[in-house]
């Protein structure tokens, strides 16, 4: 299982694939950075990649027994983070501790901040493209504050399959480690009678510019997604160190995406070069302008 945080997971993932091991992947950044490289390596070695992210595990399970060509769209749900519903202007002075206080999941600091900006959902869109071989325009994001529905698959005939469950990462971890068997997991069960309501809403890019940056990077292709990920890692770290404000995360990422030249080649060397350059540019922006 690859469960490290960030770009450092790329080389270990490629080594595991080269060794012919079945990989359970909780580290989304390698697929974001180098999805073409990773999936091609897995195809050549005949390696299966099983997702551990709750959303991708949900979609993976909903797709069982179905052909990908019958899929109309994949739906990724997002809680909206701790600031959902607040005016963007009111977030200028929020603290790292406030941003990391996720309303429904107990997660690490970096991914919690990514959830607050919705960058995490943007990264998951890119991850889903590569995991399931579905084009960007057929992947949708929907705000679902209750975090009960983890993922949905819509088919051409209009039917939608949804995966529901408690907010406990032990469930997708257990599934990935034991697949194809299902074992009795030591987690609480979802009681449908206790669910008051399930709500869904469309995210607005004006409120979540990090999501917009991720979609644009996915659309650009090449090394743009590696640049996106690197800039975001640096910006989130700077925010957590009080070097930039919360709203500065999206600004730094946007500036770096604009500044870094487009690269269409997707070799490991070119991806790592793009990653390093993006980190340098992000640090320069933070140092010179404070975002």
């Amino acid at each position: 299982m690859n469960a490290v945080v960030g770009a450092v997971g790329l080389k270990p993932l490629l080594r595991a694939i080269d060794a012919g091991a079945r990989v359970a992947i909780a580290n989304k950044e390698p697929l974001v950075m180098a999805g073409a490289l990773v999936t091609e390596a897995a195809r050549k070695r005949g390696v299966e990649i099983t997702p551990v992210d709750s959303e991708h595990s949900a979609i993976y399970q909903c797709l069982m027994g179905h052909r990908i060509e019958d899929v109309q769209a994949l739906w990724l749900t997002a809680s909206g983070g701790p600031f959902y519903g607040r005016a963007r202007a009111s977030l200028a002075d929020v603290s790292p501790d406030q941003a990391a206080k996720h309303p429904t999941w107990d997660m690490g600091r970096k991914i919690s901040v990514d959830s607050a900006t919705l960058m995490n959902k943007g990264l998951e869109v890119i991850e889903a493209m590569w995991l399931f071989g579905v084009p960007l325009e057929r992947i949708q994001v929907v705000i679902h504050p209750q975090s009960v529905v983890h993922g949905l698959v819509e088919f051409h005939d209009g039917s939608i399959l949804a995966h529901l469950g408690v907010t406990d990462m032990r469930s997708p971890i257990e599934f990935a480690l034991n697949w194809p068997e299902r074992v009795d997991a030591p987690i609480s069960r979802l009681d449908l009678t206790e669910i008051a309501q399930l709500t869904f809403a469309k995210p607005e890019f004006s409120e979540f510019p990090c999501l917009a940056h991720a979609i644009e990077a996915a659309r650009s292709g090449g090394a743009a997604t590696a640049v996106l990920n690197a800039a975001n890692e640096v910006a989130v770290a700077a925010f957590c160190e009080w070097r930039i404000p919360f709203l500065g995360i999206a600004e730094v990422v946007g500036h770096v995406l604009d500044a870094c030249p487009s690269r269409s080649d997707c070799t490991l060397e070119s991806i790592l070069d793009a990653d390093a350059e993006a980190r340098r540019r992000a640090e320069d922006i933070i140092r010179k302008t404070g975002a």
Side-chain angles (χ1 to χ4, degrees):
M1 175 180 288
N2 186 337
V4 298
V5 177
V8 295
L10 176 57
K11 286 185 177 180
L13 175 62
L14 290 173
R15 290 286 182 89
I17 290 172
D18 187 57
R22 183 173 75 88
V23 176
I25 184 165
N27 171 223
K28 63 176 64 66
E29 286 84 358
L31 281 167
V32 170
M33 296 172 62
L37 194 68
V38 171
T39 53
E40 177 60 15
R43 186 193 64 79
K44 287 182 176 179
R45 290 290 291 152
V47 166
E48 181 183 3
I49 298 178
T50 306
V52 175
D53 259 352
S54 62
E55 297 84 357
H56 300 86
S57 176
I59 289 173
Y60 185 89
Q61 294 178 59
C62 287
L63 283 171
M64 288 178 182
H66 299 280
R67 303 183 307 168
I68 199 68
E69 54 265 34
D70 292 331
V71 172
Q72 177 69 27
L74 304 180
W75 291 80
L76 296 170
T77 57
S79 72
F83 309 131
Y84 181 60
R86 285 179 54 172
R88 185 161 177 79
S90 72
L91 305 179
D93 298 323
V94 300
S95 70
D97 285 344
Q98 289 173 313
K101 193 174 182 180
H102 198 277
T104 54
W105 288 95
D106 182 12
M107 305 184 295
R109 197 169 183 83
K110 195 268 183 183
I111 191 173
S112 295
V113 174
D114 281 348
S115 293
T117 65
L118 237 65
M119 176 61 86
N120 189 52
K121 209 53 50 178
L123 300 180
E124 287 177 1
V125 167
I126 300 167
E127 182 184 10
M129 289 170 54
W130 295 110
L131 276 173
F132 305 115
V134 172
L136 176 65
E137 59 271 16
R138 287 165 57 193
I139 301 176
Q140 304 293 329
V141 173
V142 64
I143 302 292
H144 171 53
Q146 296 82 20
S147 299
V148 172
V149 179
H150 300 301
L152 309 95
V153 176
E154 178 184 356
F155 296 92
H156 291 309
D157 63 3
S159 61
I160 298 177
L161 297 183
H163 178 285
L164 284 69
V166 295
T167 52
D168 190 328
M169 279 305 299
R170 288 179 296 177
S171 179
I173 291 170
E174 175 274 319
F175 175 83
L177 292 178
N178 290 287
W179 174 250
E181 297 181 8
R182 287 186 182 266
V183 301
D184 188 18
I187 62 173
S188 60
R189 297 299 193 258
L190 183 67
D191 187 344
L192 294 176
T193 65
E194 293 183 357
I195 300 173
Q197 62 179 349
L198 299 177
T199 60
F200 304 90
K202 180 180 179 180
E204 297 296 335
F205 282 172
S206 60
E207 295 297 314
F208 298 104
C210 279
L211 177 60
H213 290 328
I215 299 300
E216 185 55 37
R219 189 173 288 118
S220 298
T225 53
V227 170
L228 170 88
N229 179 73
N232 181 65
E233 286 191 18
V234 172
V236 170
F239 166 65
C240 290
E241 296 165 359
W242 294 88
R243 295 167 58 202
I244 61 172
F246 178 74
L247 298 181
I249 296 173
E251 294 178 15
V252 169
V253 173
H255 288 323
V256 174
L257 283 171
D258 289 340
C260 284
S262 175
R263 300 178 185 223
S264 58
D265 53 329
C266 290
T267 64
L268 179 59
E269 182 179 8
S270 68
I271 291 296
L272 294 179
D273 284 347
D275 175 271
E277 181 179 2
R279 291 174 190 276
R280 286 194 297 270
R281 288 183 182 268
E283 287 289 0
D284 285 345
I285 291 168
I286 292 166
R287 184 172 57 254
K288 293 176 182 177
T289 69

